[in-house]
Amino acid sequence: MAKRRGLYPGTFDPLTLGHVDIIERAVKLVDELVVGVAINRDKGPLFTLEERVAMVELEMERISKASGVPIKVTPFENLLMHFAEDQKASIIIRGLRAVSDFEYEFQMVGMNQSLNDDIETVFLMADARYQSIASRLVKEIARLSGDISSFVPAHVGDALKGKLP
Ligand code: ADP
């Protein structure tokens, strides 16, 4: 049987424990996982693409070893569906937080299904402890010198401290 390859796309600016939790769940569903790091120049990310990829890679080593699922971290700039096709992914994985993500994701899935109905989008929910974490809020809390240690891996916390004045 063909290997089931999943794609988990995001901006990861920066990677949070919410993302990590979703990835730990995603590897239970697929044989191989691609984590797609969106270049997202328009969003004006705090971390460069190289920094975001490196952050994700650092965590992936551990998850890949523990699960036995190969994980590849790849930047992308094109349309998500085209990227999924290029990567030969049959499943797109998205995380879902309470109601905030629902409307956007609902529309995205609808449009993506018309672009390619063979690729399924699967939604996962993070553990209750991580459900409210959002990269945007982590950056805001860090900027205001709040404690972000329960929201991001330690190396991401250090990187954030280094970025902010
Ligand atoms: P954010 O929305 O925090 O800026 P991304 O754009 O990098 O993060 O998100 C990538 C994917 O991960 C999206 O599907 C998003 O909904 C999901 N995600 C992010 N944080 C969480 C979380 N705390 N719980 C569940 N899913 C999440």
Side-chain angles (χ1 to χ4, degrees):
M1 226 173 84
K3 282 204 187 325
R4 198 184 286 271
R5 184 174 296 160
L7 167 65
Y8 178 48
T11 311
F12 307 108
D13 185 42
L15 177 78
T16 69
L17 294 178
H19 295 129
V20 172
D21 188 88
I22 295 292
I23 294 165
E24 280 173 331
R25 290 169 197 280
V27 292
K28 296 181 201 161
L29 305 177
V30 298
D31 303 307
E32 297 167 353
L33 184 70
V34 177
V35 180
V37 182
I39 294 180
N40 249 336
R41 289 197 185 90
D42 302 347
K43 259 194 178 174
L46 176 66
F47 289 96
T48 65
L49 176 67
E50 291 71 26
E51 287 168 332
R52 287 180 282 134
V53 167
M55 274 174 193
V56 179
E57 268 174 349
L58 224 119
E59 290 296 312
M60 292 316 100
E61 264 175 43
R62 177 181 61 75
I63 300 175
S64 184
K65 233 185 224 160
S67 63
V69 172
I71 306 177
K72 190 172 78 171
V73 184
T74 309
F76 76 103
E77 195 165 30
N78 49 345
L79 191 67
L80 176 61
M81 246 333 151
H82 290 166
F83 180 56
E85 288 163 0
D86 291 346
Q87 294 295 318
K88 302 195 176 6
S90 55
I91 301 181
I92 293 175
I93 288 146
R94 300 286 292 168
L96 204 57
R97 283 165 295 196
V99 283
S100 57
D101 289 328
F102 186 78
E103 189 160 351
Y104 175 73
E105 296 292 343
F106 182 80
Q107 276 193 314
M108 276 267 285
V109 171
M111 302 200 56
N112 281 338
Q113 279 172 349
S114 1
L115 294 173
N116 184 335
D117 207 20
D118 294 327
I119 299 181
E120 293 300 336
T121 303
V122 172
F123 292 97
L124 298 175
M125 277 171 66
D127 183 275
R129 283 172 297 169
Y130 306 128
Q131 272 176 24
S132 55
I133 303 175
S135 298
R136 182 179 56 81
L137 295 176
V138 166
K139 286 182 279 191
E140 212 166 299
I141 295 168
R143 222 172 260 135
L144 299 170
S145 309
D147 179 11
I148 47 156
S149 58
S150 51
F151 308 136
V152 293
H155 62 94
V156 173
D158 293 341
L160 261 167
K161 277 185 205 129
K163 271 279 167 188
L164 298 166

